[in-house]
């Protein structure tokens, strides 16, 4: 029984570590080999484009950088706590891994915000960033920018269409951590709504239910 509980708690954490390593390796490679705005076409509908995002996922910005980073940290702590409570109970491990996927995405972008400004020089359209530059990083703690690179210009709306004519369908540029969060949330909505509702009531019972 003890061995089973250890597996339920340790394996999801190892899963998160593996996802984080993949996310960070890709970001390090992009940051240290490409200039801002540099683009490489893989297919006509898929490109690698290096941009940096000072705000939230998919290039969104909202409010103070310190507030955004603090919110991300609190969100990650909450998801981590929720995942541990799931692991300690008899919920499906498939659902636990989906929650771990969301957590890995949140932590992946938090790492960029916390540390990239300290360990990298600034990326520009003319110069590739250096790791651990002599003069120090480009921003203080918590003020780093998130590295994005995936661009899927699947198609362009015809010019005659109102409002969206000439625009690219799905224009955001995103990273691996963003995709972890997006896939995890969609999987929960499509396949684990019952598990989410049941686990929420068990892990966070209301005062009335707890009486």
């Amino acid at each position: 029984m003890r061995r089973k509980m250890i597996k339920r708690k340790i394996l999801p954490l190892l899963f998160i570590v593996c996802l984080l390593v993949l996310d960070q390796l890709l970001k390090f490679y992009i940051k240290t080999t490409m200039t801002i705005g540099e683009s490489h076409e893989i297919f006509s509908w898929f490109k690698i484009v290096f941009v940096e995002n000072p705000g939230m996922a998919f290039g969104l910005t909202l409010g103070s950088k310190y507030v955004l980073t603090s919110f991300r940290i609190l969100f990650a702590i909450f998801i981590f706590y929720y995942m541990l409570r799931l692991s300690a109970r008899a919920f499906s491990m498939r659902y636990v891994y989906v929650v771990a996927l969301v957590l890995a995405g949140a932590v992946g972008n938090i790492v960029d915000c916390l540390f990239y400004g300290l360990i990298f020089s600034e990326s520009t359209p003319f110069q590739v960033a250096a790791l651990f530059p002599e003069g120090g990083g480009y921003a203080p703690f918590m003020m780093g920018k998130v590295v994005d690179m995936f661009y899927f210009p699947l198609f362009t709306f015809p010019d005659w269409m109102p409002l969206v004519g000439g625009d690219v369908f799905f224009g955001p540029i995103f990273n691996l951590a963003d995709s972890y969060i997006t896939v995890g949330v969609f999987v929960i909505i499509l396949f684990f709504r019952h598990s989410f509702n049941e686990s929420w009531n068990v892990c966070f019972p209301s005062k009335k239910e707890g009486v």
Side-chain angles (χ1 to χ4, degrees), residues 72-104:
R72 278 176 165 153
I73 293 172
L74 291 174
F75 175 76
I77 292 173
F78 175 78
I79 296 299
F80 178 68
Y81 174 73
Y82 175 55
M83 188 189 73
L84 289 182
R85 298 204 66 171
L86 288 176
S87 300
R89 289 162 172 79
F91 288 104
S92 166
M93 284 304 295
R94 290 180 297 176
Y95 179 58
V96 174
Y97 281 111
V98 174
V99 174
L101 184 65
V102 175
L103 177 58

Side-chain angles (χ1 to χ4, degrees), residues 60-206:
L60 301 175
T61 55
L62 180 66
S64 164
K65 179 69 174 181
Y66 285 111
V67 173
L68 286 172
T69 303
S70 298
F71 173 79
R72 278 176 165 153
I73 293 172
L74 291 174
F75 175 76
I77 292 173
F78 175 78
I79 296 299
F80 178 68
Y81 174 73
Y82 175 55
M83 188 189 73
L84 289 182
R85 298 204 66 171
L86 288 176
S87 300
R89 289 162 172 79
F91 288 104
S92 166
M93 284 304 295
R94 290 180 297 176
Y95 179 58
V96 174
Y97 281 111
V98 174
V99 174
L101 184 65
V102 175
L103 177 58
V107 175
N109 285 334
I110 287 171
V111 171
D112 298 27
C113 294
L114 295 182
F115 303 113
Y116 275 29
L118 298 174
I119 66 174
F120 286 110
S121 63
E122 187 172 6
S123 295
T124 73
F126 313 102
Q127 185 174 352
V128 173
L131 181 62
F132 299 117
E134 290 185 5
Y138 67 85
F141 182 66
M142 292 183 69
M143 293 296 287
K145 299 176 182 178
V146 177
V147 175
D148 293 328
M149 74 291 294
F150 295 136
Y151 179 45
F152 287 87
L154 299 179
F155 62 86
T156 302
F157 292 103
D159 292 334
W160 53 264
M161 291 187 68
L163 301 179
V164 296
D167 292 342
V168 173
F169 175 78
F170 195 72
I173 300 173
F174 60 99
N175 58 41
L176 203 54
D178 295 334
S179 66
Y180 294 162
I181 297 172
T182 303
V183 171
V185 170
F186 270 99
V187 170
I188 290 173
I189 293 173
L190 293 176
F191 303 107
F192 291 102
R193 283 178 293 180
H194 176 73
S195 296
F196 174 79
N197 292 332
E198 181 183 358
S199 65
W200 191 269
N201 292 330
V202 171
C203 294
F204 307 105
S206 64

